[in-house]
Amino acid sequence: MRIGVDVGGTNTDAVLMRGDKVLASCKKPTTSNVSDGIVAAIETVLGTSSVPASDVRAVMIGTTHFTNAFVERRNLLDVGVLRVALPAARGIPPLIDWPEAFLAEIGSHCEMVTGGYHFDGRLNAAMDERAVAAAARTFQDKGIRSVAVTGLFSPVNPSMEERAAEILRQEMGDDVAITLSHEIGRIGLLERENATVMNACLVDMSRQVVASFRHALKTLGITAPFYISQNDGTLMDSGMVERYPVLTFASGPTNSMRGAAYLSGLQEALVADIGGTTTDIGMLCKGFPRESSVTVDIGGVRTNFRMPDILALGLGGGSLVREQGSGITIGPRSVGYQLTQKALVFGGDTLTASDIAVAAGYADFGDATRVRHLSADLIEQSVVEIHRKIAEGIDRMKVSAELVPLVLVGGGSVLVDRDIPGVSEVVTPNHAGVANAIGASIAQVSGEIDRVFSYEELGREAALATATEEAVKRARHGGADPETIKVIDIEELPLAYVPGGAVRLRVKVAGALAFDQEQP
Amino acid sequence: MKLSVEDLQDVGRGAAFLGTGGGGDPYIGRMLATHAIREYGMPEIIDVEALDDDAAVYTIAMLGAPTVLAEKAACGDDVDLALSRMEKYTGRKADAIIPIEIGGVNSMLPIMAAARTGLPLVDADGMGRAFPEIQMVSFNIYGVSCTPLVMTDEHLNSLVVETGHAKRAEDLERVASIEMGCSVILSSYPMTGRQVKETAVRQTMTLALEIGRAIRRGRRADNPVGELSRYLATTPYYSHCRVLFDGKVVDLRRETTQGFARGHCTLQALDGGAGEMEVIFQNEHLIAREDGRVRAMVPDLICMVDSDTAEPVPVEALKYGQRLKVMGVSAPPILRTPEALEIIGPQAFGLNETFVPVEEL
């Protein structure tokens, strides 16, 4: 038995799963201290299914808490930024491109020391261990308790970052929080360093949040371990979340897409998660969301870490419908969470996309008599506009010209009732409203490699084999059952302007949690 | 003219456009230039005509893989060293710095160098766009010697190459750059003011800045591609500018041969029409064909921009489903002469085509 929880900005959803069966699900309001909402939601699913807490083998939680805290700059720590890269990259000191508002919160405590590797793993400069120790003492004197360490080409060879961490602990004590960049980001020094600093400023909060989750489960009598989902749809154990909260960024859309894959049984499909204000459209490849290949700005800070490739359209159940000239516009403005007061069918005075779905006869909620006055022409034009918007979003996200199925999840999925061009079939599975919590409950453990290989020296096959083997090793280390580990993504980018067949190779694998071998 | 930190964003976007799909993401270069400007102040940009005929003018560029530069960025001292070594070998103190390549990341390193040294930066370059190899510049085409060529790394190792042939210099420095970590600083084509006047592509820093500004202005007016085209039409060299195709990426194939990533990108018209465009690239875009008919080819510029925002899209970021406008832009006349076409024309890239200007296709 597993429990999946999704803590969103508005609702906290929970599902109780046995094997691949959904035994119970519910939606509760999110509370300001997060854990009360989680307790309420889990109590409800356990209560309605009469399952004792002791039968729960694992709890998986998806949360947007850390993303919101960062963007809103709430409770961020001062961060010691240590870069092991000199003499390289002195021309771009750390934090160079951060908005002032963030620097006011986290400070500008940057130390650069000698060390690092080349792109192919050769030593570029030995690490100046004395300088690392001196930097540690400087941080210590400033009262800093969280340090972000970024080493030159550490995704290729992490040893120097690991050694730096040892020295920092020796100088600053074992309770100093240390974030190592190779655990977070990819090649691209500044972007990886930014993500590392983001993480470092959140570690205090992550300890508190993990403690509050732990407390919530204890209150419920659940002794099973809990996991938190990452933005790539895989899991971290609680110890990992305490150290790497930044990896939860953007896990919300990922969870709903993974849930959609699970509920529909489709591995290659488009998913549209239609909410009250927006529709998130993504593409499932081998059951996982396709990742974005471009750098992502979060709160105005540039990063390069793993993010799902999601197109957000300003269209949802609460979108305002307005007549403009001879045409109709729908969204991006929405009544949002006030849908049940403001929409016409709920007795309000605002024409929304939900009212159109009721008037057109393909949704049945609220009071249909309150939309009887709408002209057939207005209804038809609006229905066409809703489908046109979704069709355009879908067309943008497709990865090939072939027809693919479309899975609809989220409360707003009633808006779609007609065929969509480019789509082979439209699937709305059961439990579509809690797809995100289900996505969290089925999350797997992953391992990833991002490194430059010489195809001319090694050959492509050998390079792929080496990279895959190391990725598998990482997944096993994270707790994946070796029997279930599969390759889910391979990306090969030949390095431009370099002879010798140098290729940047990224391999990602994932497998089920090793202990999660329960009988249905 | 002085460049501000705020201008760098526009210059970077313009340089990415002029990179015609290659040249490397200007972002890291922009950060390097930003830091140098904050530390040393803004560099002065001067017109070619402001140079004395016997002024000593040196180029600054990065050589290697932009992916590596994004990790192992320059340290600054390596830039200073490249210039001081060049001064030592020529026996002449530098009077000004000139970019070798305005397209991509190499638009930014000369700004960094000018800020650090206090030398003026010449508003011109040797390509008016981006090219993959060091012999593919107007300086070489019109008789300036590529060497002495100085390479430096962040450990302040330096290497000087002397050879009579620019292509030979290219082969030598390419091998050495890998040993030096695949991202090094380069100074080459030491020139007199007179040689700059005779061989450079003029006013290209201004061009990059104004392209960036036009896109930004256009976004506010909700017509960035239109505004960009309107601006280009007012320039002396890049005035033949047209949207060759408006479509979405339906196929993307890449293969690596002899160290160069050759790619094919196929776009289909958005309006459901049958038309297709294929763009072949090798670091930069080389040729665009619509239904088999050539619409533009190198050295004219083939630029792909996002249909809505006019953001230049480099070949590394191409993916299925993107909506792009393919623009064909005339190269400056200095790049279209018979002697230029021998070095940067379609046949120099292994294409079996004879160059025809974009305005005649």
Side-chain angles (χ1 to χ4, degrees), chain B residues 106-123:
Chain B
N106 273 335
S107 58
M108 292 291 170
L109 285 141
I111 299 176
M112 176 193 185
R116 288 183 69 92
T117 55
L119 290 169
L121 181 66
V122 182
D123 187 4

Side-chain angles (χ1 to χ4, degrees), chain A residues 87 89-93 96-97 118-119 122 124 153 188-189 192 302 309 395-396 398-401 494 497-498, chain B residues 23 25 27 31 35 38 65 70-71 73-75 77 154-155 174 178-179 181 248 256 259 284 308 319-320 323:
Chain A
R90 189 188 282 125
I92 37 165
I96 182 169
D97 207 15
H118 277 299
F119 71 102
R122 281 179 294 149
N124 190 35
F153 280 109
L189 185 77
R192 187 172 73 253
R302 183 167 157 129
D309 189 7
D395 193 43
R396 281 184 176 235
K398 280 177 68 177
V399 287
S400 81
Y497 309 102
V498 184
Chain B
D25 181 353
Y27 176 77
M31 289 301 108
H35 181 60
R38 282 183 191 159
E71 178 83 21
C75 74
D77 297 340
E154 69 276 18
H155 303 284
R174 193 66 59 174
I178 294 173
E179 182 54 36
K248 100 176 195 179
T256 304
E284 294 84 23
D308 296 332
K319 59 179 185 173
Y320 178 90
R323 278 134 199 268

Side-chain angles (χ1 to χ4, degrees), chain B residues 59-259:
Chain B
T59 68
I60 279 290
M62 74 78 60
L63 169 84
T67 319
V68 172
L69 180 74
E71 178 83 21
K72 190 173 83 88
C75 74
D77 297 340
D78 42 9
V79 173
D80 304 349
L81 181 69
L83 283 171
S84 63
R85 290 284 129 162
M86 184 59 99
E87 288 173 338
K88 186 177 155 196
Y89 282 96
T90 58
R92 283 286 310 271
K93 282 271 174 206
D95 296 306
I97 291 168
I98 186 167
I100 193 166
E101 174 181 42
I102 195 68
V105 66
N106 273 335
S107 58
M108 292 291 170
L109 285 141
I111 299 176
M112 176 193 185
R116 288 183 69 92
T117 55
L119 290 169
L121 181 66
V122 182
D123 187 4
D125 78 312
M127 299 187 190
R129 46 166 294 161
F131 280 121
E133 299 187 351
I134 202 165
Q135 77 279 9
M136 297 177 165
V137 293
S138 58
F139 310 143
N140 174 47
I141 294 165
Y142 299 104
V144 179
S145 169
C146 178
T147 65
L149 172 155
V150 182
M151 300 165 69
T152 61
D153 66 17
E154 69 276 18
H155 303 284
L156 307 187
N157 298 311
S158 63
L159 215 62
V160 180
V161 176
E162 292 215 58
T163 164
H165 302 280
K167 173 64 178 151
R168 187 74 190 130
E170 162 71 25
D171 295 343
L172 292 171
E173 41 93 323
R174 193 66 59 174
V175 172
S177 76
I178 294 173
E179 182 54 36
M180 291 166 97
C182 236
S183 168
V184 298
I185 301 296
L186 189 76
S187 181
S188 57
Y189 293 103
M191 279 176 280
T192 62
R194 185 180 188 84
Q195 283 174 306
V196 172
K197 290 173 194 171
E198 286 166 0
T199 65
V201 184
R202 296 184 180 207
Q203 291 178 337
T204 48
M205 189 57 73
T206 306
L207 177 77
L209 174 66
E210 292 300 333
I211 287 173
R213 283 181 177 165
I215 293 174
R216 192 153 50 84
R217 206 164 49 234
R219 285 182 187 172
R220 280 201 299 271
D222 217 18
N223 184 17
V225 176
E227 193 61 38
L228 173 60
S229 305
R230 206 163 20 246
Y231 163 67
L232 287 171
T234 67
T235 62
Y237 314 139
Y238 296 81
S239 52
H240 299 286
C241 154
R242 52 197 65 177
V243 173
L244 302 176
F245 202 77
D246 187 357
K248 100 176 195 179
V249 179
V250 293
D251 192 29
L252 198 58
R253 281 179 295 126
R254 284 173 218 260
E255 57 216 12
T256 304
T257 30
Q258 291 143 25

